[in-house]
Amino acid sequence: MTQRPHDRDRYHGFEQGPIRPPSEAGSLLVRVTRNCPWNHCAFCPVYKGARFSVRPEAHVIEDIDALHRHVETLKRLADGSGSILRKNIDACMQGLPAHEQQAFGAALNWYAGGMRAIFLQDANSLVVKPDQLIRILRHLRTRFPWVDRITSYARSHTIARISDDHLRQMREAGLNRVHIGLESGSEAVLRLVRKGVDKPTQIKAGRKVKKAGIELSEYVMPGLGGRDLSRDHALETADALNRINPDFIRLRTLAIPGGIPLAEEHRRGRFVKLNDVDMGREIRLFIESLDGITSMIVSDHILNLFEEVQGRLPEAKPDILAVLDRFLEMSPQDQCRFQVGRRLGLFSRLVDMNSPKRLAKVDAFCAQHGVTPDNVDGMVDEMMKRFI
């Protein structure tokens, strides 16, 4: 009698995970692992209650082949300018079985975005066996040889255990950018939020990625130390990054939605969240303490109050500090207006407050909802939860 394969060994069709970095908005998402192998971070709402698993290599290859088929179909449907008639797309979609439609949709979105980058999901694809990941990368390059970038999230703890030779082979196979959630360089903060890694390991991992010739994005979370550890968080995080010199330093301001462990600490008063003004002071100290590196500072998330805190070090440092100083020197009323306008999507830069029309909309909102400098922090916290 033939033994039935275990359910997890059967291919159930194309998969995509729940998240990717904002900078990978136009990337093709290829799911290599499901969920997060650590999943204890006190600040993270993603993957809670979900088991981690590595997808069988054969299933990932089937996904890639399905995407390739649909991309080739879209190319055939396109006219000389690359445009495709909606009726032809609809006809193609209707002719597909249900398990193929999601793959077609992913291929269509990627085609519309220019097909330049691929992102490996979920939270830590480098946790798979190196030889397996290298085969997947090579297959991606075979199917989509024109792409500029293949990227992945990874944990420092994982990268620190991968040999330099395997990292080099991954780069040669096509992996040319890694996103790491550094979050903080403070040992006290890392313990507080259960990050599962220490500062020396963060530094070691970042240096290994750079040594392999892979671009490195390190994520920093302003506010993660709360009021008590704010200064330590800023200084120790800057020190870690000074020792790594990543290609990108990406800011992700702390928000505390319900249901995460940090929310309970906040509710009990054991974690005191920084308001926007104190966050501005912390970010200023952090930027001021970055020294001797050539990283690109990026503030590309709606949770961040200061979108214009951006530029390449060291040249951009004075301008970044000037932005923060202008906000910190504002009256409480104008600080309140900028906070609300930013979270309403009306402001992205401080100069946007010079628009009478936008400012009038902010003032109308504040009047309607009773927002003042005394209560704006609570209102902002509620508004930010919509973006998580």
Side-chain angles (χ1 to χ4, degrees), residues 15 58 66 68 112 114 157 177 226 258 266 283 307 344 353 374 381:
E15 291 188 26
H68 177 259
H157 184 270
R177 182 180 293 176
H266 184 236
I283 294 171
E307 183 176 325
L344 289 175
M353 292 184 68
D374 293 330
D381 284 347

Side-chain angles (χ1 to χ4, degrees), residues 11-116:
Y11 181 67
H12 295 286
F14 180 78
E15 291 188 26
Q16 281 193 331
I19 63 170
R20 44 86 186 144
S23 59
E24 305 296 340
S27 298
L28 181 65
L29 306 181
V30 176
R31 197 174 201 185
V32 176
T33 61
R34 300 183 184 98
N35 311 313
C36 176
W38 174 244
N39 206 14
H40 294 301
C41 295
F43 57 83
C44 181
V46 188
Y47 308 121
K48 293 297 185 279
R51 291 186 60 186
F52 173 78
S53 63
V54 175
R55 294 189 69 205
E57 180 183 340
H59 295 185
V60 180
I61 297 300
E62 287 199 55
D63 278 6
I64 294 168
D65 289 344
L67 291 163
H68 177 259
R69 286 196 306 273
H70 298 313
V71 166
E72 292 302 304
T73 297
L74 292 167
K75 287 180 178 179
R76 289 193 295 271
L77 292 175
D79 61 21
S81 67
S83 299
I84 307 173
L85 295 175
R86 183 75 243 182
K87 66 177 183 179
N88 291 339
I89 292 174
D90 292 341
C92 189
M93 178 75 84
Q94 290 169 5
L96 293 173
H99 70 274
E100 283 277 328
Q101 290 183 6
Q102 187 180 9
F104 181 83
L108 178 62
N109 289 336
W110 194 46
Y111 180 88
M115 300 188 296
R116 306 311 308 174

Side-chain angles (χ1 to χ4, degrees), residues 8 11 78 107 129 160 210 276 294 315 317 338 343 382:
R8 71 183 177 191
Y11 181 67
K129 293 179 179 179
K210 293 279 290 180
D276 277 337
T294 57
E315 295 82 7
K317 187 173 179 178
F338 184 73
R343 272 50 188 251
E382 291 303 313

Side-chain angles (χ1 to χ4, degrees), residues 9 64 67 71 114 122 128 151 173 179 185-186 210 213 237 257 269 293 306 334 336 343 370:
D9 295 328
I64 294 168
L67 291 163
V71 166
D122 279 344
V128 305
T151 72
H179 299 267
S186 163
K210 293 279 290 180
T237 303
I293 59 175
F306 307 105
D334 280 346
C336 173
R343 272 50 188 251

Side-chain angles (χ1 to χ4, degrees), residues 290-301:
L290 293 172
D291 185 46
I293 59 175
T294 57
S295 307
M296 181 74 181
I297 305 290
V298 184
S299 182
D300 59 350
H301 198 285

Side-chain angles (χ1 to χ4, degrees), residues 299-314:
S299 182
D300 59 350
H301 198 285
I302 190 60
L303 289 175
N304 298 338
L305 181 62
F306 307 105
E307 183 176 325
E308 58 192 309
V309 171
Q310 185 156 306
R312 183 165 301 283
L313 299 174

